[in-house]
Amino acid sequence: MSTTNSSKAQDGQAAAGAPAARPRRSDGAMNPRVHDWHGRRVWVIGASTGIGAETARLLLARGARVALSARRAEPLQAIADGSDDVGRGKPGNEQPAGQALVLPLDITSHSQVLAARDALVAAWQGVDLVMIVAGIYNEMRADSFDMQSVNQVLDVNLRGAFHCVDAALPMLRQQPGSGLAIVSSVAGYSGLPRALVYGPTKAALINLAESLYCDLHAQGNAVYLINPGFVETPATAGNDFEMPALISAAEAAQHIVKGIERGEFHIHFPKRFTNWLRLARLLPYRSYFWLIRKVTGL
Ligand SMILES: NC(=O)c1ccc[n+]([C@@H]2O[C@H](COP(=O)([O-])OP(=O)(O)OC[C@H]3O[C@@H](n4cnc5c(N)ncnc54)[C@H](OP(=O)(O)O)[C@@H]3O)[C@@H](O)[C@H]2O)c1
């Protein structure tokens, strides 16, 4: 990690090569706060559309250097160039040369993820934050159980996330103060109808982020668990039910970036919806299932 940036020192980040020390936070935050994104190197995996794309755009606007990954190179390049803003009705916002790096990959391929990581290290000598946003959503109930879809969702949401963790860990180990963010979902809090495979993959990611926090916080790395409620993106465009407390992807990106800036571990939003679900999961099962049935009708 570059140590010349004074804002990093201000945020409590250790110098590269310094022995890892358990960070003591007097400000109550679970991770170091971020006061300035300028020059920070962020790798957003799953940046071509939706939440990842908006987060990447916001970070670029805040001055971060952003490496953009997903399978489709074209939308990544448009975000890197700032040229997609024109099509979205915003003034074109060309990024300064070198601020963005396009690294297309398929997270289901371990070798592609490692190759992208190596290209990133070669270009920028390291990274300050890895964000695993990529994921796919499918609706499945017991009466439509389909093993092919199960494998597809497991491959992307779970095996793919582990590929990214494997790629990130050596960089994090070398750079105390750097961090890893995992986008899971409120669907991972407890069992829900329609989420027979998506829900378990997201529950696993919540557990993964918690376990990583136990291990990495002690060595001076930040870990963030991000649990969005319903967000308007291509992934939810096909939902044929009313999505409570639906927010835009741009709003989701604001919540994510603000949560990281505040040094939160559990970044969940919108609170009017996520707090309700967090409370529901504390109920005894009988009451929980009664409530979910009453609310969803399923
Ligand atoms: N939208 C919601 O309501 C909601 C709620 C909670 C959690 N989430 C989570 O938020 C994350 C982003 O979802 P979104 O709603 O923004 O959906 P989205 O617009 O469909 O974005 C998904 C992103 O993942 C990438 N991706 C998918 N498969 C990939 C693969 N095999 N390799 C590399 N990249 C891949 C996609 O890019 P390519 O297709 O170009 O590869 C895209 O950039 C997901 O993890 C999702 O589960 C979403």
Side-chain angles (χ1 to χ4, degrees):
M1 182 187 70
S2 148
T3 53
T4 51
N5 187 334
S6 62
S7 70
K8 290 178 190 167
Q10 191 189 0
D11 297 345
Q13 298 191 1
R22 184 183 288 271
R24 282 203 207 109
R25 312 216 56 76
S26 56
D27 57 7
M30 289 182 68
N31 285 307
R33 293 176 193 266
V34 175
H35 301 291
D36 184 3
W37 287 98
H38 280 95
R40 280 178 189 266
R41 299 155 299 176
V42 186
W43 186 12
V44 183
I45 305 170
S48 59
T49 53
I51 297 169
E54 289 298 341
T55 303
R57 286 187 189 102
L58 184 56
L59 290 173
L60 284 165
R62 299 263 170 108
R65 301 171 78 186
V66 182
L68 304 140
S69 288
R71 287 166 303 179
R72 288 166 291 164
E74 207 176 300
L76 298 179
Q77 195 59 56
I79 295 168
D81 299 340
S83 57
D84 66 328
D85 281 345
V86 180
R88 296 160 73 239
K90 295 187 176 178
N93 183 24
E94 208 171 299
Q95 319 299 352
Q99 198 190 341
L101 184 63
V102 173
L103 299 169
L105 57 79
D106 184 332
I107 58 167
T108 65
S109 162
H110 191 205
S111 59
Q112 284 187 29
V113 175
L114 295 183
R117 187 270 318 270
D118 291 346
L120 174 58
V121 171
W124 289 353
Q125 289 73 55
V127 72
D128 299 295
L129 176 63
V130 178
M131 303 188 73
I132 307 172
V133 189
I136 54 173
Y137 168 75
N138 85 344
E139 199 179 306
M140 191 185 289
R141 300 206 70 190
D143 58 7
S144 59
F145 195 85
D146 167 20
M147 204 53 218
Q148 203 179 336
S149 300
V150 170
N151 282 328
Q152 200 183 359
V153 178
L154 290 177
D155 270 352
V156 177
N157 292 9
L158 211 48
R159 208 181 300 279
F162 274 101
H163 292 158
C164 299
V165 169
D166 184 46
L169 282 177
M171 296 192 289
L172 297 178
R173 229 174 272 128
Q174 278 178 9
Q175 297 167 208
S178 58
L180 177 67
I182 296 180
V183 174
S184 177
S185 166
V186 294
Y189 286 155
S190 323
L192 291 167
R194 295 199 185 96
L196 209 54
V197 58
Y198 181 76
T201 62
K202 293 299 180 179
L205 290 185
I206 290 174
N207 195 297
L208 174 64
E210 292 165 351
S211 302
L212 283 168
Y213 188 88
C214 295
D215 291 351
L216 297 181
H217 182 64
Q219 69 180 46
N221 293 117
V223 178
Y224 309 91
L225 165 63
I226 299 167
N227 284 327
F230 285 110
V231 183
E232 205 172 356
T233 69
T236 50
N239 284 350
D240 60 359
F241 56 92
E242 199 186 319
M243 293 179 269
L246 182 70
I247 60 170
S248 70
E251 283 174 87
Q254 291 280 354
H255 283 293
I256 291 170
V257 170
K258 238 181 241 162
I260 293 172
E261 288 172 350
R262 289 190 193 121
E264 291 171 3
F265 165 71
H266 186 197
I267 301 168
H268 59 100
F269 53 84
K271 297 254 185 329
R272 64 186 185 278
F273 180 58
T274 55
N275 278 338
W276 185 90
L277 279 169
R278 292 174 73 211
L279 207 61
R281 75 171 165 169
L282 299 177
L283 293 172
Y285 275 130
R286 188 185 299 277
S287 309
Y288 172 77
F289 289 133
W290 175 84
L291 184 66
I292 294 299
R293 195 177 177 92
K294 190 160 174 57
V295 170
T296 64
L298 297 168

